[in-house]
Amino acid sequence: ALTAPLGGNQALALMAVALLLVTAPQILLLLREALASPRTPASAEDSAAMRGSMLAFWGGGVVGPMTGHVGTIIVAAALGPVAAGAYFAADRIAKLLSIALIGVNQIVGPMIARSWRGGRKDEVRLLVLAGSAIAFVVAGIGFLAYWLLGRFALSLFDPTYVEAWGVLMILSAGQLVNTICGPNNFLLNMAGRERDYLAIMTVWGALALVGI
């Protein structure tokens, strides 16, 4: 909708404002619901358990996205802004494959929670297996599309970025591994293994940055 040309800083500021406008109503709605809900004090045992798990839950949610974005900074520091631009484009395109997993998690996450709470572990196994398989198949189709059309997708950002096709395929292969792991993060967190999940994300995130 904007007709005036935007510089990099202006574009970033505009995106930040747009994100704030989108998320502010959600935050207000959550606050209203939280304040309107009746308060039931937790037991001392539950409070201690929540305090002990909180950092692991937050850490597990933060480490993955953080290491995913730091890769671009590493490339920029080592090879300069042009290479960082090509890497960023390849990274963004590759991450589209994870949309399949995100969509699957939105559906099977509550189902896994219900089955786990009910003690129906066979259902949990089936849901995790089905979620992993569906996400992997969809991402696999996208991977094949990138193999054939990846250079064209990169050229939409800049014609010189076609040289990053190999990088795109490596990152896309990583997304295939990500999708076939399926909703295991939900399973680990619900099974009281949030510290294990944080450790897995931290170690593999560090190895990924070294690889980059």
Side-chain angles (χ1 to χ4, degrees):
L2 296 173
T3 57
L6 295 176
N9 290 337
Q10 292 172 312
L12 287 172
L14 181 63
M15 285 185 279
V17 170
L19 288 171
L20 285 172
L21 291 175
V22 169
T23 54
Q26 300 177 50
I27 293 172
L28 292 174
L29 179 63
L30 288 172
L31 286 174
R32 189 187 71 177
E33 293 293 330
L35 294 174
S37 300
R39 300 296 181 91
T40 303
S43 66
E45 183 180 356
D46 287 343
S47 297
M50 285 189 284
R51 285 194 301 270
S53 301
M54 192 177 299
L55 288 178
F57 279 122
W58 277 97
V62 168
V63 169
M66 185 175 68
T67 53
H69 290 293
V70 170
T72 303
I73 299 174
I74 292 176
V75 174
L79 301 176
V82 176
Y87 177 85
F88 181 79
D91 185 52
R92 293 298 98 182
I93 295 171
K95 279 187 168 65
L96 285 174
L97 299 181
S98 67
I99 289 178
L101 179 60
I102 294 171
V104 166
N105 285 346
Q106 294 280 343
I107 297 170
V108 303
M111 298 169 69
I112 291 174
R114 185 168 58 246
S115 298
W116 178 266
R117 183 173 176 82
R120 299 185 296 275
K121 292 187 178 180
D122 287 340
E123 287 183 13
V124 174
R125 293 188 186 97
L126 180 60
L127 288 167
V128 173
L129 175 62
S132 303
I134 294 170
F136 179 73
V137 168
V138 175
I141 294 171
F143 182 86
L144 294 176
Y146 288 170
W147 185 272
L148 299 173
L149 302 172
R151 289 182 177 86
F152 170 73
L154 288 165
S155 70
L156 295 176
F157 293 87
D158 190 280
T160 62
Y161 287 1
V162 295
E163 298 177 1
W165 180 81
V167 175
L168 171 62
M169 299 314 299
I170 292 171
L171 294 173
S172 297
Q175 290 299 326
L176 286 181
V177 175
N178 181 37
T179 54
I180 202 166
C181 288
N184 281 322
N185 58 328
F186 288 117
L187 184 60
L188 287 169
N189 285 331
M190 276 186 273
R193 306 294 293 273
E194 62 276 358
R195 289 182 179 83
D196 293 337
Y197 176 67
L198 174 59
I200 292 169
M201 295 298 294
T202 301
V203 171
W204 282 102
L207 290 174
L209 294 180
V210 172
I212 290 169

